[in-house]
Amino acid sequence: MQKPFRIGQIVPSSNTTMETEIPAMLLARQQIRPERFTFHSSRMRMKKVVKEELAAMDGESDRCAVELSDARVDVLGYACLVAIMAMGHGYHRVSEKRLQAHTAANGADAPVITSAGALVDALKVIGARRIVVVAPYMKPLTELVVDYIRNEGFEVVDYRALEIPDNLDVGRHDPSRLPEIVAQMDTRDVDAIVLSACVQMPSLPAIAKVEAQTGKPVITAAVATTYAILKSLNLEPVVPGAGALLSGAY
C-alpha cells in the first residue's frame, strides 16, 4: 500500500477555514482516486487583517516552513493570499522560492505553494482574462489584491470588498450569502468568477450554485491551492463538487 502524501499547511493563527476546506477537497478526492493524504499545520500569529499584522505574520512563515519540513511533508501550502499580495507585485514568487530554500536547507526539499500564486496560475490554466473578484477584506486591502491580480495580466471588471476586519469573523461569513453577492455584479462578459480571494472566507458549499447561476467557471483561493497541491504531487487534479478547475477538464 502506498504511503499517504503529507500535506503541510502554513496557517495564520486565526484561520479556521484552510484546515477544513482544503482537507475536505482532498478527502472527497479519496472517494474517487486511490491516493491518501494526511494534514500537518504550523501557525503564524495574525488576528486583524491589516497591513502591519500581515507583514509581521509573513516574517514567521520561514519558521513554519522549517517546522513542517521537520515532518518531511511532501508539499507546503501557504494560505494567506492577502499577506502575500500586500507585500508588492510578484511577491508570491519571492516567498515560494525563499520558503522552499528553507525546506531544502533542512534536508527535506519540498515544493511550496502560496494561495496567491495558485490563484494567479489557476486563472491562466482556465484561460481567463476578464474576471470579477469577491474578497472579505477592507476596501484598501481589497484594492491591493485587485491591483496585484491586474499586474499579473488579468482584467478585473468588478469586485466586492465585504469589509470584515477581524479574521475570525471572516471565517464565520456564511457562504450561502455568496450567490446573492455575485448576483449583484455584472458577470455577463467575464471569463471566470473569483468567489473568494481568501482561504479564510468559506466558499466551497457555494461554488456549484454560483457556476449554475452564472454559467461561468468559479475559482476560489482554496480551490486554486488544492489544484496546485495536486499538480505539485504529480496527481490528477480532480475533486468532485469543487467547480470547473477541479472537474478534470484541465
Side-chain angles (χ1 to χ4, degrees):
M1 185 178 150
Q2 184 190 22
K3 73 175 179 65
F5 290 96
R6 293 175 183 165
I7 311 299
Q9 302 196 89
I10 299 174
V11 187
S13 57
S14 52
N15 185 302
T16 53
T17 308
M18 177 181 179
E19 293 153 308
T20 51
E21 287 203 343
I22 291 173
M25 283 184 265
L26 293 175
L27 294 174
R29 187 185 186 278
Q30 290 186 173
Q31 307 303 313
I32 58 165
R33 293 293 184 274
E35 294 84 20
R36 296 294 177 260
F37 306 93
T38 61
F39 304 95
H40 314 276
S41 300
S42 180
R43 305 183 96 75
M44 40 192 184
R45 290 297 303 282
M46 189 267 281
K47 292 163 80 175
K48 291 273 187 290
V49 193
V50 294
K51 200 169 180 185
E52 298 72 26
E53 276 204 39
L54 293 170
M57 183 194 78
D58 183 64
E60 289 191 53
S61 63
D62 302 80
R63 169 186 56 77
C64 292
V66 173
E67 288 178 2
L68 288 167
S69 65
D70 284 346
R72 298 302 189 255
V73 296
D74 296 295
V75 60
L76 290 82
Y78 178 148
C80 187
L81 178 139
V82 69
I84 294 287
M85 292 193 177
M87 298 287 280
H89 290 164
Y91 180 70
H92 68 273
R93 297 177 185 89
V94 176
S95 170
E96 288 165 7
K97 193 173 177 183
R98 188 184 78 242
L99 296 178
Q100 182 157 4
H102 285 306
T103 70
N106 196 30
D109 192 7
V112 176
I113 287 148
T114 63
S115 56
L119 183 69
V120 166
D121 291 344
L123 291 169
K124 292 174 184 167
V125 165
I126 66 168
R129 303 303 304 167
R130 291 165 55 82
I131 63 170
V132 296
V133 174
V134 181
Y137 319 118
M138 303 306 285
K139 200 162 186 192
L141 275 179
T142 302
E143 286 171 348
L144 270 180
V145 166
V146 167
D147 180 59
Y148 192 103
I149 294 170
R150 284 178 174 148
N151 185 65
E152 292 289 335
F154 302 98
E155 188 180 344
V156 180
V157 177
D158 194 8
Y159 68 89
R160 287 290 178 278
L162 303 187
E163 302 210 82
I164 308 169
D166 185 278
N167 202 40
L168 272 177
D169 290 336
V170 172
R172 295 184 185 115
H173 185 267
D174 183 355
S176 70
R177 293 182 56 207
L178 291 171
E180 181 192 343
I181 290 164
V182 173
Q184 295 163 17
M185 305 170 80
D186 186 356
T187 59
R188 287 170 300 178
D189 296 323
V190 303
D191 303 313
I193 293 157
V194 177
L195 189 61
S196 178
C198 173
V199 181
Q200 169 71 331
M201 185 168 77
S203 53
L204 190 56
I207 291 172
K209 185 168 184 181
V210 174
E211 286 192 336
Q213 171 185 309
T214 61
K216 309 285 183 179
V218 168
I219 288 178
T220 72
V223 162
T225 303
T226 302
Y227 179 91
I229 284 170
L230 289 167
K231 291 292 281 187
S232 76
L233 297 172
N234 294 313
L235 299 178
E236 189 183 0
V238 292
V239 171
L245 181 68
L246 288 166
S247 67
Y250 302 100

